Amino acid sequence: MASGGYELRLIEDSIAAGGALALPADGINRVIYVVHGAVAIDGQEFGDDQAWQGRGAARMTAGSSGCALWRWELAPTASAAVLGAATAAAS
């Protein structure tokens, strides 16, 4: 195992209607679960109780009612979590 290891993170993202959150091309494996609302992830639509899985860059755009998401990341321990910095997204 590489020095430093990995950690499993759980981050809750809230994105206002029409708002967006962009995740970088950092190679981190992610699962995004829609708690409620609707979101488009890289153009693919997801609603309540649906999930997306991918690696690296992704753009999440909330639907007309906004959305609440749970985001799991398997990331190197030394890496920083991506948190919503815009007024339309909070983590």
Side-chain angles (χ1 to χ4, degrees):
M1 183 168 169
S3 64
Y6 289 85
E7 63 185 5
L8 181 62
R9 302 175 182 151
L10 173 58
I11 302 162
E12 183 174 18
D13 296 307
S14 296
I15 307 175
L21 177 62
L23 302 173
D26 52 12
I28 291 177
N29 289 297
R30 297 181 169 95
V31 173
I32 299 170
Y33 173 79
V34 182
V35 178
H36 64 80
V39 65
I41 303 175
D42 292 339
Q44 186 176 357
E45 301 285 332
F46 296 89
D48 291 353
D49 202 30
Q50 293 184 315
W52 171 91
Q53 183 277 327
R55 184 173 187 197
R59 181 171 177 82
M60 302 178 290
T61 305
S64 61
S65 298
C67 62
L69 310 171
W70 291 341
R71 174 171 33 116
W72 283 268
E73 298 182 338
L74 182 60
T77 304
S79 67
V82 175
L83 302 177
T87 56
S91 298

